[in-house]
Amino acid sequence: MGLVSDSQKDGRGGGGNDFLGLKSLVRRKQVDSVHTKASSGRHQLAKELSVSHLIAIGVGSTIGAGVYILVGTVAREHSGPALAFSFLIAGIAAALSAFCYAELASRCPSAGSAYHYSYICVGEGLAWLIGWALILEYTIGGSAVARGISPNLALLFGGADSLPGFLARHYIPGLNLVVDPCAAILVFVVTGLLCVGIKESTLVQSIVTTANIFAMIFVIIAGGYLGFKSGWPGYELPVGYFPFGVDGMLAGASTVFFAFIGFDSVASTAEEVKSPQRDLPLGIGAALSICCMLYMLVSSVIVGLVPYYAMDPDTPISSAFASHGVQWAAYVITIGAFTALCSTLMGSLLPQPRILMAMARDGLLPSFFSEVNKHTQVPVKSTLVTGIVAAALAFFMDVEQLAGMVSVGTLLAFTMVAISVLILRYVPPDSVPLPSSFQLAIESVSLRYGNSTPDYDVENSKDHVGTSGDNTLLLPGKGEAPVRYPLIAKEAAQVLLNEGNRRKIAGWTILLTCVGALVLASAASTVDLPSSFRFSLCGAGGVLLLSGLIVLTSIDQDDARHNFGHTGGFICPFVPLLPIACILINVYLLINLGAATWTRVSIWLLAGVFVYAFYGRTHSSLLDAVYVPAAHVDEIYQTSANSLA
């Protein structure tokens, strides 16, 4: 009792027998609580956001100008008049991820979004890759959005060449570059606004988002009037409502799914929400519902005004109104596209400083990024770095060809969030890392239980104390029983053994289910494989997936899930079916993003591996952490506070 391992003595929290530091990849941090915030001594973000603010962030980040173009392309190539059903199916698929986000955001309301959840539930290695991918997503996404604003702004002034010289795009022959000063200036304006404060920037985003919504409502009402007046010519087709069949409608759903990826920006602001357990699930759900409803109504109206094969793929809404003699509607639609892009730009630049801040707090990035301005209560330095990089990219590069990289970060985050929900329900972390400065308090609490340790092999108990690689102290947890009652001790040991077996079965089942989803999605997407081999892979993946679903449904979920993190928030329904379906859909979409996209992303992720190996792994705040049973954390904090007093 009270022994300390050599790895802790020499300061290597990862363990002396840790080959190449691999144990650092699976070390997990604890959910932020009152104790951790008080002991960290860091400035906190301002708690200013309510449900209405979250809805504005979610809708503004989700509805971009793409919807003004997407309806034409998808209707012509995939869905036809059934475009509204494609949006509905895509919205339902996005809702699967939204349910998972809602539970984790309310249980773990700290900055960092999917990175934070992965670190708590899966481990440091995968969490780093998710955070690194999200950095790429928000940087490329913000730059691409900013680059698309100047053409729409030029249309409001009368044409592509009507912008003032200092805002217009210029071609530099020697460098073969088209620079965009307008995009860079807009990024700097949004960056300055984000530095002022979260409440102020969200207010501006609410105003801009409202203007975009009114433009879409105009399209719905005016288009509906024209449709009733003309008899809905787009629906009077001899080929019927599904000209490309159900497969075409589903292919359209896969395409428009990316019009829904924006609600994760809501989760990134979790630390700044006044009542996160109530407001975060409401904000995520309401934002997604509003976006889905607007998408479906707009698409229903437009495909009814013009036959799908006659739609203009570049300006479908404007051309649809023009075909009915309403040319002036193009100005309203352009205003809608401009405001949508501005709102999306704010939604793209808002989360990244918080991701950087969360990673720096955990020691994986320099502490420079974790500093919070004590006046504005926002991470100003991280915001400025984000703005400068995004502005430089928007000024010098046409990043449209890199837009697919944005989807990789989002889908990876969606997948890890779904996996985290399964882990939280079946094998939640049962030990909590504490700084090595709490060693005396841990020893003190350990000694209190020294005379009541049951007479069985506690080494196999899941309740232990250890460093981030080695067990150092042993404390009784579930099944405590005095040694003078051997029958009770025997029963307690049996309970622990059964619980340990259940956790092992659940853990391996979750792993094999993810493998099954990967195999099934890969085989279904690779059409150039021999048919027999492809069907065999599909069968093997399907068996693994279905078996995992059956096993997880038949075994009990862990009782510790009720006390994990902050309780009283949203509970994801239909577990394990819903998270498994979410994993399968997102993995399928990831695989179908294309080889060129994955080549670019792989280079970025490989760079991230080197950064982690040479900096993050050795500077992690968990490097010297001591792991204790979660049931004893409050007692240890109280003991430490009493000793200081």
Side-chain angles (χ1 to χ4, degrees):
M1 184 66 62
L3 299 177
V4 181
S5 71
D6 293 336
S7 64
Q8 186 178 350
K9 288 177 181 178
D10 64 18
R12 299 189 307 270
N17 60 348
D18 183 7
F19 179 67
L20 297 178
L22 295 181
K23 287 186 179 179
S24 65
L25 300 178
V26 294
R27 56 192 178 197
R28 299 185 286 192
K29 70 173 184 177
Q30 64 171 308
V31 180
D32 283 348
S33 64
V34 175
H35 297 308
T36 56
K37 290 177 181 178
S39 62
S40 66
R42 67 194 182 207
H43 289 294
Q44 300 299 313
L45 301 179
K47 286 189 172 292
E48 297 284 357
L49 302 182
S50 62
V51 175
S52 59
H53 295 117
L54 296 178
I55 293 174
I57 293 172
V59 174
S61 301
T62 303
I63 299 182
V67 68
Y68 294 95
I69 301 172
L70 205 58
V71 291
T73 303
V74 177
R76 283 174 60 96
E77 299 178 1
H78 300 295
S79 302
L83 179 60
F85 286 109
S86 294
F87 273 109
L88 176 61
I89 293 170
I92 293 172
L96 301 181
S97 294
F99 280 127
C100 298
Y101 263 96
E103 173 162 352
L104 290 172
S106 59
R107 284 183 179 269
C108 315
S110 293
S113 184
Y115 156 78
H116 180 64
Y117 313 144
S118 301
Y119 205 163
I120 291 171
C121 296
V122 183
E124 185 174 282
L126 281 174
W128 165 265
L129 285 180
I130 294 298
W132 192 250
L134 288 175
I135 291 173
L136 177 70
E137 171 197 340
Y138 292 126
T139 303
I140 299 294
S143 303
V145 169
R147 193 86 179 188
I149 291 178
S150 51
N152 286 276
L153 185 61
L155 290 176
L156 292 178
F157 284 89
D161 300 323
S162 58
L163 282 177
F166 73 96
L167 291 178
R169 290 181 175 179
H170 299 282
Y171 177 70
I172 302 177
L175 300 176
N176 194 27
L177 288 177
V178 178
V179 296
D180 193 338
C182 180
I185 291 172
L186 284 170
V187 170
F188 282 129
V189 169
V190 171
T191 301
L193 185 61
L194 292 174
C195 289
V196 172
I198 185 65
K199 191 172 184 179
E200 293 77 7
S201 60
T202 306
L203 176 62
V204 174
Q205 187 171 22
S206 302
I207 296 171
V208 177
T209 302
T210 302
N212 179 27
I213 291 175
F214 275 121
M216 298 184 75
I217 291 174
F218 165 79
V219 171
I220 295 167
I221 295 176
Y225 171 76
L226 292 175
F228 280 112
K229 185 178 177 181
S230 60
W232 298 107
Y235 291 124
E236 298 294 333
L237 299 174
V239 293
Y241 203 66
F242 296 88
F244 299 98
V246 175
D247 290 341
M249 182 192 68
L250 294 176
S254 297
T255 303
V256 301
F257 174 84
F258 298 103
F260 289 93
I261 53 178
F263 60 82
D264 54 332
S265 297
V266 178
S268 70
T269 64
E271 196 171 315
E272 295 154 287
V273 180
K274 294 177 182 177
S275 303
Q277 280 71 43
R278 181 196 66 185
D279 294 350
L280 281 169
L282 288 175
I284 293 172
L288 189 61
S289 301
I290 291 171
C291 293
C292 187
M293 180 180 64
L294 288 173
Y295 285 154
M296 291 180 65
L297 289 173
V298 168
S299 60
S300 298
V301 168
I302 297 306
V303 297
L305 289 178
V306 181
Y308 72 93
Y309 52 80
M311 296 182 73
D312 187 331
D314 297 321
T315 57
I317 300 180
S318 301
S319 60
F321 277 87
S323 68
H324 289 267
V326 190
Q327 285 85 356
W328 58 266
Y331 289 98
V332 178
I333 295 163
T334 303
I335 291 173
F338 173 72
T339 55
L341 282 168
C342 290
S343 182
T344 306
L345 176 60
M346 296 182 67
S348 297
L349 296 181
L350 173 66
Q352 181 167 325
R354 285 144 184 84
I355 300 288
L356 292 172
M357 181 190 70
M359 297 176 76
R361 282 177 174 177
D362 297 327
L364 304 184
L365 289 176
S367 59
F368 170 87
F369 294 105
S370 65
E371 297 179 21
V372 176
N373 187 281
K374 63 180 180 180
H375 299 296
T376 62
Q377 291 185 276
V378 296
V380 172
K381 292 182 179 179
S382 295
T383 304
L384 289 174
V385 170
T386 298
I388 291 170
V389 174
L393 284 176
F395 182 76
F396 288 109
M397 291 180 60
D398 183 4
V399 293
E400 188 173 338
Q401 68 271 20
L402 306 179
M405 300 171 73
V406 176
S407 301
V408 172
T410 302
L411 292 173
L412 282 175
F414 283 8
T415 304
M416 288 309 305
V417 167
I419 294 172
S420 296
V421 168
L422 289 176
I423 292 173
L424 185 156
R425 294 297 190 90
Y426 289 96
V427 282
D430 53 4
S431 57
V432 174
L434 294 180
S436 56
S437 58
F438 284 85
Q439 187 64 49
L440 290 178
I442 294 170
E443 293 276 4
S444 176
V445 174
S446 177
L447 290 173
R448 294 178 196 172
Y449 294 90
N451 295 326
S452 62
T453 304
D455 189 18
Y456 55 83
D457 185 11
V458 196
E459 287 288 348
N460 294 324
S461 167
K462 74 185 189 72
D463 292 313
H464 63 272
V465 179
T467 63
S468 54
D470 301 289
N471 298 343
T472 60
L473 299 172
L474 299 175
L475 291 176
K478 292 181 181 179
E480 292 175 7
V483 71
R484 62 179 178 274
Y485 298 116
L487 291 179
I488 297 177
K490 185 176 180 180
E491 291 178 4
Q494 186 62 43
V495 169
L496 278 177
L497 181 62
N498 293 338
E499 177 65 9
N501 289 335
R502 186 203 62 78
R503 287 176 65 90
K504 286 181 180 178
I505 292 171
W508 279 105
T509 302
I510 292 171
L511 176 61
L512 292 176
T513 301
C514 295
V515 172
L518 179 60
V519 171
L520 178 59
S522 301
S525 304
T526 312
V527 294
D528 54 349
L529 287 176
S531 297
S532 57
F533 183 60
R534 184 186 178 199
F535 289 139
S536 298
L537 284 178
C538 285
V543 168
L544 281 175
L545 199 66
L546 185 60
S547 300
L549 176 61
I550 293 172
V551 171
L552 291 177
T553 303
S554 60
I555 65 177
D556 294 330
Q557 297 183 27
D558 199 300
D559 290 336
R561 73 187 189 279
H562 299 300
N563 300 317
F564 181 85
H566 298 252
T567 58
F570 178 81
I571 301 297
C572 180
F574 307 116
V575 174
L577 176 61
L578 189 149
I580 290 177
C582 180
I583 293 169
L584 180 61
I585 291 170
N586 292 322
V587 169
Y588 177 80
L589 293 173
L590 273 169
I591 291 172
N592 282 278
L593 286 176
T597 295
W598 271 109
T599 301
R600 298 187 187 105
V601 171
S602 298
I603 295 172
W604 174 256
L605 293 180
L606 184 62
V609 169
F610 282 105
V611 173
Y612 175 75
F614 291 104
Y615 183 87
R617 185 180 65 85
T618 57
H619 289 77
S620 171
S621 60
L622 299 184
L623 190 64
D624 298 317
V626 180
Y627 281 75
V628 302
H632 297 286
V633 171
D634 290 338
E635 190 174 357
I636 291 171
Y637 273 110
Q638 185 63 43
T639 301
S640 177
N642 292 340
S643 65
L644 291 176

